[in-house]
Amino acid sequence: MRLILITMLLAATCPAELLDRVAVTIANQVITQNEITDEIRMNAFLNSEPADFSQKSKQAAADRLIEQKLIYREMEMGRYPPASSQEANGMMDKLEKTRARSQGEFEKAMKAAGVTVDQLRDHLLWGLTLSNFIDLRFRPGVQVTRKDVQEYYQNKILPSTKPGEKPNLADVRAQIEQTLTAELSDKQLDEWLKDAKSRAHIEYHKEAFEAPAQ
Amino acid sequence: MAFAVLFAIGTGVLSADPQQYEGRTITAIEFDPPLQRQAVDPAELQSILPLKVHTPLHLSDVRKTIERLYSTGRYQDIQIEAQPSGSDGVSILIKTKNSWFIGRVSVDGKIAEPPNEGQLVNASRLDLGQPFNQSDVQAAQSKITHLLVQNGFYESTVNPSLEYSDVAQQVNITFHIRTGQRARFWVPVITGDPQLPEPKIIRATHWKEFLRNKWRPITLARVRQGLDGVRSRFQKSDRLLATVELKALDYDAANRRATPHLDIQAGPVVTIKPVGAKVKRKVLEQNVPVFQEHTVDPDLLEEGRRNLQEEFQSKGYFEAAVEYKQEPPLKEKEEIDYVITPGERHRFVKLTIEGNKYFTTDAIRERLFLQPKSFQFRHGRYSEAFTRRDEQSIANLYKSNGFRDVVVTAETQDDYLGKKGDVAVTLKIVEGPQYIVSNLKITGNHLLDLKGILPTLSSAEDQPFSDFNVATDRDSILTYYFENGFPNASFEYSTSAGANPRLVNLEFRITEGNRQYVRQVITSGLVHTRPQLVDKNITLSPGDPLSPVAMSEIQKRLYDLGVFARVDMAVQNPEGNLERKYVIYNMQEAHRFSVTAGFGAQLANIGGSNAADSLSNPAGTTGFSPRVSLDVTRMNVFGLGRTVRFSSRYSSLDTRGLVDYLWPKIFGRPKLDAKFSVLFDDSHDVRTFAARREEASFQLTDRFSKSLTAFLRFTYRNVNVSNLKIAPELLPLFSQAVRVGILSVNFAQDRRDDPTDAHKGMYNTLELGIAPKQFGSSTGFASVLARNATYHPIGKKLVLARQTSFGVEPAFSVQPNADPNDPIPLPERFYAGGASMRGFPENQAGPRDLSTGFPLGGSALFINNTELRFPLFGENIGGVIFHDFGNVFDRLSDLSFRVHQRNPQDFNYMVHAVGFGIRYKTPIGPVRVDLADSVNSPRFNGFGGTYQQLVQCAINNTCVAAPQRVSRFQFFFSIGQAF
């Protein structure tokens, strides 16, 4: 009886613990503190690094999530098709094979990093979605000229190859075009994101960034 | 030991690992603030939360809870805390911080217009009902300051103050403004290549008052007008490409003036001239868009070419060809010639329509631009553009009725029937099959019953199928959804072939989206107005579907009260993901006092001495009557939307004081208004007598519909007449005070397009009155006066207007000492003349006293006015030719259409007048000058001496009549059409 009373008293006097809170708002969308924490853990797991919960790291994670929200909103408004779960599952299998010898070992590593299977799948799906978005939204508008290819060949390819091993332009043209297209698309994405952020009303709730690391 | 642990927990917050609560059973969900004080309606709040008591806690649900709560828009911060409960339970605490929304935005301070208060509030861009952010206030402050600077207030200060209200989480923002003094313009600094001397540029800006040699105060409108003035100056000298840019307005605080820096590039002189045919400058400017666009480019020149070609074709030069030649610029001169080859002038003589079975030829013709020659179009109206337009127009008509394969072609035949220059056009229609809707299926309408709208759909079964009909139905259905609280409804359709190729199965798929409801209607801005006056007009209640139409209807009703200068309405938090929303009305009360002073004049045959003894000019003489008026109005009396108005008027003919008390929407009836009036009037507008009138009346006005209004009025008046200019033996009869208590009903039906200057429609009035002795009348009589006016447009510019008036006043209860032949008291009789009948001066029509010749009025009236109205010079000066005929008669039995006067004692015949008038359009109606020739104006006998002399000679029966005649020529000067 005494034990029960003490337990009840303990419970009654236990201060409430924070489960989650608003960390960033973008118009009528929200990023919670736990989302940021999960993003840090996911990033650390994929990079095989220890998770860093410093304020700077939280800010960087929040920025990544803000970009994600802006892109998702743009995709919804423009009715861009999302990536398929099958593709994400395929990527997960590849990742499992490169990171662990067995599924059990992979799951153990995920658990140690604080990452769940669903979270990992969602993250990989997001990566594929982002790639699709860039392809559909920006790539069609990118034009790589002969001059661009020539300059890249002169300034990037030739200096990094040994004399005698220099490849012909014709042989590497397709590769250069692909690289340049990707770079230009990324540049356009960056510009679009910069513009979208300036137009969106983004507010950081600093209490969420000052909270102790978990 | 246990005590020590307890102590440790009690002193601080343990750092939480949320995962430890994953899967625990939720035992309670609390809110801070408590549920009943939450920003979202408690019932709705419970329905949107994924967290439920007695279910396992998942952190993903915690996140979803935060996301959903935030998406409602009513919170700016949310945090969820957990506390262990029992051995395996957890109690949840949801802590929220409300967000705020923009409420009333106002400005105060001594503000010299421009800008006015409304413009300053609009400049803030703080919209009612939108989410409030502190940063928006700073931005608004900058925008208001910018507007003030643009209007010359360089030393203004703008300080915002915020008032937070928990009612609907509104922030009321007031900007306290000190404008300081307005700066004036100073000598402009002109750079660039103006090609004009500086004094001419300055003159074109009108920034300097040249009479007083003083620079004007700066306003935004003046700056813009100044720049436009300089541009127009260049346009007049054919520098069509001139650019005038205001680079800066540099303010000199010490002298309170600002120096405009103008950069002017005059550009070349661009001469655009027609070659090969004469074209008026105005027509050239209308057709060649280079003049409006201030640039020369091939697209504009080509458009000018097409426009000129169509212009010539529409005037009968059906083969007209126009080309343009642009010479290269030479020494700042550019020449563009439009080379016009008009060709022979043709006449479009015949238009035939063939192949039409579904539509009649008349139904097709009324839609066409092509018109064969007629009175209105002497050469007919034809051009290639018109032909193409008509082909398209007929095709569209057929397509919208299910004939989607219709083909319409025009064939033009020159030298029709061998006559050179005659053109005939045949429009050949191949209708093709008509596609019919064999089956209409509507899906997706789960929440809203469409029974009310189905009968109105164009794409019903067995009706023609067309994209046009589907588009119309889409609009009807979506409007129906919007009106019933579904702002996000969407519509798609698909078709499939029916049993045979001409039959179409149609499916409408509706996605309803969430329905929105009214949470509460919030009003603000009432200072003097009583809330119950506003509440009566709020027809939306909590729980009603959120209908923009109902909201607009309420806004209109609030404006109709006449007490608000501005009524803003909004749905609060429109982007928030919530079913129930606040509807906000913010009102700004109008100034309650208004004073209007006016002056005017009447110039007509209204002159002549009013002295009691003078019998000169019984038919009036040229007179000028200046008039001043003063009206003081106090609106929103008692805060109930009522009005007290004092009107006064003073002229040489009339002194009047009138007090009205207006009570709109009496007895809660929205279309029923009441008015109490007390009048004092001392007038001499009928030359026969002076009348002092004291009158009180009560009137009810009921608006049955937009065009039909009824008035029920009871009037009691006491009229004392003096200075009577009638035969001495009649004096005792007519000099008694007249008491009248009259109950009248008046119907007015107004279907004119413009009451101040009608071009089509009609206007009818019928007034019925009864004045029995029981109402206090000294003589019992009835009164009927009916008017019918119609307006008919002839072509685009002419209007034929006519009005017929008929009135009769039978007496049924005669005063013992009244004249049994003429029982109606003098002031109560019909008088006509002036605007009502231009053959007579004011109030001069009808019977006259046989001794003095002064008008006596009558108890029957018939007048007809006909006018042909037409434009004379430009847009503002018009002309009329008119014919008025009619008269006032002794009694109904004396009404006659005879045109000859039998003798100087006979006045019961029709007087005819013809004439001409000028109308000058002003914002308050046309200024009118009419000149009339009354071809058979009456002759009568007057008296050459004074009244005393008349009395003397009447005793001795030695009076000598002075034959006179109402002047044939009448002129009138006034405001407003004659009818």
Side-chain angles (χ1 to χ4, degrees):
Chain A
M1 181 63 184
R2 198 185 295 170
L3 191 59
I4 293 167
L5 279 170
I6 288 170
T7 310
M8 282 172 67
L9 200 55
L10 263 172
T13 55
C14 256
E17 296 177 75
L18 182 66
L19 283 184
D20 205 353
R21 68 181 311 156
V22 171
V24 183
T25 57
I26 316 123
N28 64 346
Q29 291 180 293
V30 69
I31 296 171
T32 68
Q33 189 174 290
N34 281 357
E35 272 185 273
I36 293 175
T37 310
D38 289 346
E39 169 65 17
I40 290 173
R41 288 203 182 101
M42 180 64 64
N43 210 42
F45 172 73
L46 289 173
N47 293 332
S48 302
E49 290 167 354
D52 173 10
F53 293 106
S54 65
Q55 203 165 350
K56 192 175 169 192
S57 171
K58 282 183 186 171
Q59 185 74 50
D63 288 342
R64 288 195 297 275
L65 289 169
I66 288 169
E67 289 175 2
Q68 201 181 107
K69 296 275 184 194
L70 289 171
I71 291 171
Y72 265 128
R73 190 169 69 181
E74 177 73 9
M75 289 183 68
E76 205 178 286
M77 281 182 0
R79 298 198 188 189
Y80 289 90
S84 71
S85 315
Q86 274 174 320
E87 278 184 85
N89 287 338
M91 281 190 71
M92 194 136 91
D93 290 340
K94 266 191 216 165
L95 188 65
E96 188 186 306
K97 287 187 174 91
T98 55
R99 297 290 288 273
R101 286 171 291 200
S102 66
Q103 189 179 348
E105 195 180 307
F106 186 65
E107 282 171 9
K108 203 173 161 187
M110 281 203 298
K111 197 172 177 185
V115 168
T116 67
V117 169
D118 287 336
Q119 284 172 347
L120 179 61
R121 188 179 296 114
D122 286 343
H123 188 88
L124 295 172
L125 193 62
W126 157 244
L128 291 166
T129 301
L130 175 63
S131 182
N132 283 355
F133 175 67
I134 294 172
D135 282 344
L136 291 170
R137 179 79 160 75
F138 302 111
R139 208 169 286 244
V142 166
Q143 280 183 332
V144 174
T145 62
R146 292 174 88 88
K147 190 178 168 205
D148 294 332
V149 171
Q150 184 73 35
E151 275 176 13
Y152 191 90
Y153 177 72
Q154 299 279 5
N155 300 330
K156 298 265 170 69
I157 302 286
L158 291 182
S160 62
T161 54
K162 293 180 188 154
E165 287 181 2
K166 292 184 193 312
N168 283 329
L169 176 57
D171 294 338
V172 295
R173 178 185 295 281
Q175 193 186 333
I176 294 172
E177 280 174 358
Q178 205 172 352
T179 306
L180 282 174
T181 302
E183 279 179 8
L184 286 170
S185 301
D186 286 345
K187 191 177 167 194
Q188 287 199 358
L189 171 67
D190 289 340
E191 281 168 10
W192 179 84
L193 278 170
K194 191 177 165 190
D195 179 57
K197 279 183 193 174
S198 69
R199 282 185 283 113
H201 186 80
I202 299 173
E203 214 171 294
Y204 295 85
H205 292 231
K206 57 182 188 207
E207 308 83 12
F209 291 84
E210 286 162 4
Q214 296 173 32
Chain B
M1 178 65 178
F3 179 76
V5 169
L6 182 67
F7 181 73
I9 291 170
T11 52
V13 175
L14 287 174
S15 43
D17 177 11
Q19 288 295 337
Q20 66 179 300
Y21 292 103
E22 182 73 28
R24 279 193 170 209
T25 304
I26 300 172
T27 56
I29 300 175
E30 305 280 333
F31 289 86
D32 178 16
L35 183 63
Q36 296 308 320
R37 281 174 43 210
Q38 279 291 313
V40 175
D41 182 73
E44 196 169 356
L45 194 58
Q46 301 280 28
S47 70
I48 62 177
L49 288 185
L51 295 173
K52 304 279 182 222
V53 177
H54 305 308
T55 62
L57 171 72
H58 298 299
L59 290 177
S60 57
D61 288 340
V62 171
R63 186 181 306 173
K64 259 191 221 144
T65 299
I66 293 175
E67 284 171 355
R68 283 194 195 166
L69 287 176
Y70 192 81
S71 74
T72 65
R74 301 209 75 89
Y75 300 107
Q76 58 177 292
D77 198 5
I78 302 149
Q79 118 182 359
I80 297 182
E81 294 175 354
Q83 201 171 20
S85 169
S87 58
D88 191 35
V90 61
S91 81
I92 300 294
L93 177 64
I94 302 177
K95 281 180 163 176
T96 59
K97 190 175 170 189
N98 290 352
S99 55
W100 296 95
F101 299 93
I102 297 171
R104 190 174 68 255
V105 179
S106 56
V107 297
D108 72 17
K110 210 172 158 194
I111 301 162
E113 298 185 21
N116 59 36
E117 281 184 21
Q119 288 169 325
L120 287 164
V121 168
N122 289 343
S124 70
R125 300 279 178 93
L126 294 171
D127 295 328
L128 181 67
Q130 293 294 323
F132 170 77
N133 294 303
Q134 192 68 36
S135 57
D136 292 342
V137 176
Q138 278 95 20
Q141 201 177 349
S142 302
K143 285 173 192 146
I144 291 174
T145 305
H146 180 64
L147 179 62
L148 289 166
V149 164
Q150 284 182 313
N151 282 278
F153 294 115
Y154 287 86
E155 293 165 12
S156 60
T157 58
V158 180
N159 292 308
S161 65
L162 308 178
E163 181 200 326
Y164 291 86
S165 165
D166 285 332
V167 175
Q169 295 163 240
Q170 290 202 108
V171 183
N172 297 323
I173 305 151
T174 305
F175 292 96
H176 306 280
I177 297 177
R178 264 191 59 248
T179 58
Q181 276 201 285
R182 200 189 298 266
R184 288 181 179 266
F185 287 104
W186 191 236
V187 182
V189 169
I190 298 169
T191 54
D193 180 25
Q195 297 284 336
L196 261 187
E198 193 176 288
K200 284 197 175 166
I201 294 175
I202 294 174
R203 198 169 304 132
T205 62
H206 293 102
W207 287 339
K208 192 174 187 184
E209 295 176 50
F210 280 96
L211 280 176
R212 295 202 294 164
N213 202 33
K214 207 174 166 187
W215 292 94
R216 289 183 203 271
I218 294 173
T219 66
L220 181 58
R222 228 169 240 152
V223 169
R224 286 188 185 144
Q225 282 159 7
L227 299 177
D228 287 343
V230 178
R231 288 187 194 108
S232 296
R233 182 68 182 76
F234 282 111
Q235 181 114 346
K236 278 184 192 142
S237 45
D238 283 340
R239 291 195 184 266
L240 304 180
L241 306 183
T243 59
V244 181
E245 212 181 316
L246 177 69
K247 290 289 196 192
L249 261 174
D250 284 344
Y251 179 59
D252 172 7
N255 293 298
R256 221 178 281 118
R257 59 193 189 203
T259 302
H261 289 255
L262 296 177
D263 183 60
I264 300 177
Q265 304 294 338
V269 171
V270 180
T271 313
I272 300 179
K273 64 181 198 296
V275 173
K278 277 192 191 157
V279 178
K280 287 185 190 166
R281 173 80 181 181
K282 192 178 166 188
V283 171
L284 197 66
E285 285 180 11
Q286 276 169 356
N287 283 290
V288 180
V290 169
F291 291 94
Q292 289 88 33
E293 302 297 328
H294 301 288
T295 185
V296 176
D297 69 44
D299 288 336
L300 293 176
L301 292 176
E302 175 58 25
E303 192 181 329
R305 184 199 72 75
R306 277 198 311 270
N307 290 345
L308 282 171
Q309 188 165 294
E310 277 176 31
E311 179 75 22
F312 272 85
Q313 285 181 351
S314 68
K315 287 185 161 62
Y317 297 97
F318 301 155
E319 288 149 7
V322 179
E323 296 300 329
Y324 69 86
K325 269 194 325 187
Q326 190 177 3
E327 300 290 339
L330 181 68
K331 283 191 187 174
E332 300 231 326
K333 277 195 179 166
E334 195 170 332
E335 267 191 28
I336 300 169
D337 292 339
Y338 275 96
V339 180
I340 303 168
T341 314
E344 295 271 331
R345 196 163 198 180
H346 290 72
R347 280 180 308 279
F348 176 30
V349 297
K350 191 171 171 69
L351 173 66
T352 313
I353 299 172
E354 288 176 1
N356 53 310
K357 301 186 196 76
Y358 191 77
F359 290 105
T360 62
T361 303
D362 286 340
I364 294 172
R365 266 185 194 271
E366 67 188 23
R367 287 169 163 77
L368 301 183
F369 274 89
L370 292 172
Q371 297 288 335
K373 71 179 177 94
S374 63
F375 173 73
Q376 216 178 333
F377 301 106
R378 286 188 320 141
H379 293 270
R381 188 165 69 180
Y382 170 87
S383 72
E384 282 166 18
F386 287 160
T387 309
R388 280 194 301 276
R389 225 184 290 191
D390 286 347
E391 282 175 341
Q392 191 62 49
S393 159
I394 297 171
N396 287 343
L397 176 65
Y398 271 92
K399 281 178 182 167
S400 66
N401 281 271
F403 293 90
R404 60 182 190 206
D405 301 334
V406 66
V407 175
V408 181
T409 46
E411 278 179 13
T412 307
Q413 193 182 351
D414 210 349
D415 296 337
Y416 179 64
L417 293 181
K419 258 184 121 178
K420 194 162 166 46
D422 281 4
V423 168
V425 173
T426 304
L427 290 166
K428 292 191 173 172
I429 302 169
V430 177
E431 291 181 345
Q434 187 181 29
Y435 291 84
I436 303 287
V437 176
S438 69
N439 178 254
L440 172 65
K441 188 172 156 195
I442 302 181
T443 58
N445 52 319
H446 307 297
L447 298 173
L448 192 63
D449 187 357
L450 292 181
K451 255 192 235 145
I453 199 181
L454 283 175
T456 67
L457 294 180
S458 304
S459 309
E461 284 174 25
D462 299 327
Q463 292 299 316
F465 166 75
S466 71
D467 292 333
F468 178 81
N469 286 348
V470 172
T472 307
D473 291 340
R474 176 189 174 277
D475 289 344
S476 301
I477 289 171
L478 287 180
T479 302
Y480 190 65
Y481 267 92
F482 295 154
E483 285 172 2
N484 283 277
F486 292 89
N488 300 314
S490 62
F491 173 100
E492 285 174 348
Y493 81 97
S494 59
T495 60
S496 58
N500 74 54
R502 290 197 308 110
L503 296 176
V504 177
N505 294 326
L506 188 52
E507 183 183 354
F508 290 165
R509 286 189 299 281
I510 298 166
T511 307
E512 291 179 324
N514 290 333
R515 193 170 197 176
Q516 290 183 349
Y517 300 88
V518 174
R519 182 170 175 186
Q520 199 181 337
V521 179
I522 309 283
T523 57
S524 61
L526 303 183
V527 177
H528 304 286
T529 309
R530 292 204 204 171
Q532 56 261 40
L533 182 67
V534 169
D535 292 344
K536 270 193 295 199
N537 292 284
I538 306 290
T539 51
L540 277 175
S541 304
D544 285 348
L546 189 59
S547 163
V549 171
M551 284 175 60
S552 295
E553 186 55 44
I554 292 171
Q555 186 189 38
K556 183 180 170 304
R557 276 209 205 97
L558 291 172
Y559 269 120
D560 283 347
L561 291 174
V563 302
F564 299 118
R566 188 170 166 150
V567 178
D568 292 327
M569 70 170 188
V571 173
Q572 193 190 63
N573 185 28
E575 304 299 320
N577 194 5
L578 269 179
E579 266 187 9
R580 291 178 184 271
K581 305 243 176 179
Y582 287 109
V583 175
I584 313 286
Y585 287 94
N586 180 39
M587 288 148 277
Q588 185 188 348
E589 290 177 346
H591 295 301
R592 289 187 299 161
F593 274 103
S594 71
V595 176
T596 313
F599 64 90
Q602 206 176 347
L603 181 66
N605 277 336
I606 49 172
S609 172
N610 292 333
D613 201 36
S614 170
L615 293 178
S616 62
N617 301 311
T621 186
T622 307
F624 176 76
S625 170
R627 179 191 298 177
V628 293
S629 64
L630 177 70
D631 293 354
V632 178
T633 307
R634 166 75 149 86
M635 294 200 298
N636 204 7
V637 172
F638 308 132
L640 291 171
R642 298 177 199 170
T643 304
V644 171
R645 182 170 55 210
F646 168 71
S647 308
S648 64
R649 185 165 75 200
Y650 179 80
S651 73
S652 55
L653 296 178
D654 186 15
T655 302
R656 170 183 286 214
L658 171 69
V659 176
D660 290 319
Y661 178 78
L662 290 121
W663 183 343
K665 300 178 175 49
I666 192 171
F667 309 135
R669 299 250 314 262
K671 292 183 179 176
L672 189 65
D673 301 333
K675 183 165 79 168
F676 301 92
S677 302
V678 173
L679 166 77
F680 170 81
D681 184 71
D682 190 354
S683 66
H684 203 142
D685 53 353
V686 181
R687 293 193 42 70
T688 312
F689 55 87
R692 178 169 292 193
R693 187 193 318 258
E694 292 136 2
E695 181 180 294
S697 66
F698 172 74
Q699 177 178 288
L700 286 171
T701 307
D702 198 341
R703 287 183 298 283
F704 292 123
S705 68
K706 211 171 156 184
S707 62
L708 183 62
T709 308
F711 306 85
L712 178 70
R713 180 168 48 234
F714 180 76
T715 307
Y716 185 82
R717 55 177 166 261
N718 189 46
V719 185
N720 288 299
V721 295
S722 60
N723 294 1
L724 277 162
K725 302 201 180 160
I726 54 175
E729 62 270 22
L730 295 175
L731 262 181
L733 290 174
F734 289 116
S735 58
Q736 296 167 66
V738 176
R739 284 175 291 109
V740 177
I742 182 166
L743 178 70
S744 60
V745 61
N746 193 341
F747 297 97
Q749 183 188 42
D750 191 349
R751 287 204 180 141
R752 295 172 292 183
D753 59 339
D754 178 0
T756 59
D757 189 10
H759 289 75
K760 65 177 175 180
M762 75 173 155
Y763 183 60
N764 299 317
T765 60
L766 173 65
E767 187 171 335
L768 307 165
I770 185 154
K773 284 197 169 164
Q774 288 81 352
F775 287 167
S777 303
S778 41
T779 297
F781 65 94
S783 173
V784 176
L785 181 61
R787 282 204 174 96
N788 162 251
T790 58
Y791 305 85
H792 309 271
I794 299 176
K796 279 190 180 167
K797 296 188 178 179
L798 305 182
V799 176
L800 180 68
R802 54 144 291 279
Q803 175 179 263
T804 305
S805 308
F806 170 75
V808 63
E809 279 186 326
F812 51 80
S813 164
V814 180
Q815 219 173 338
N817 46 358
D819 179 356
N821 295 318
D822 251 336
I824 309 287
L826 272 179
E828 300 301 322
R829 295 183 187 182
F830 288 126
Y831 291 91
S836 55
M837 199 315 190
R838 285 166 281 197
F840 290 98
E842 195 83 22
N843 298 326
Q844 288 276 343
R848 309 184 85 84
D849 185 86
L850 298 180
S851 301
T852 63
F854 280 82
L856 294 176
S859 56
L861 171 151
F862 180 88
I863 291 169
N864 190 77
N865 316 90
T866 310
E867 270 189 10
L868 182 66
R869 300 171 181 175
F870 49 87
L872 207 54
F873 299 113
E875 296 286 327
N876 292 333
I877 299 180
V880 305
I881 49 175
F882 60 83
H883 170 225
D884 292 352
F885 73 89
N887 214 337
V888 170
F889 302 88
D890 276 316
R891 56 195 73 79
L892 181 60
S893 54
D894 292 320
L895 200 157
S896 163
F897 284 87
R898 177 165 50 85
V899 299
H900 294 294
Q901 186 182 20
R902 288 183 184 132
N903 53 59
Q905 287 83 34
D906 169 35
F907 302 106
N908 293 316
Y909 70 103
M910 286 290 170
V911 173
H912 289 252
V914 293
F916 175 82
I918 305 276
R919 304 285 182 267
Y920 178 70
K921 268 191 207 165
T922 71
I924 55 170
V927 171
R928 173 166 61 93
V929 174
D930 284 333
L931 298 166
D933 176 8
S934 179
V935 294
N936 58 344
S937 62
R939 295 170 208 280
F940 59 92
N941 289 327
F943 186 73
T946 66
Y947 196 79
Q948 279 306 315
Q949 287 167 341
L950 176 64
V951 170
Q952 286 300 317
C953 71
I955 294 168
N956 304 323
N957 207 19
T958 55
C959 296
V960 176
Q964 296 181 47
R965 186 184 176 182
V966 172
S967 173
R968 261 188 79 162
F969 295 101
Q970 303 294 333
F971 67 93
F972 306 93
F973 174 73
S974 185
I975 288 183
Q977 291 283 11
F979 63 92

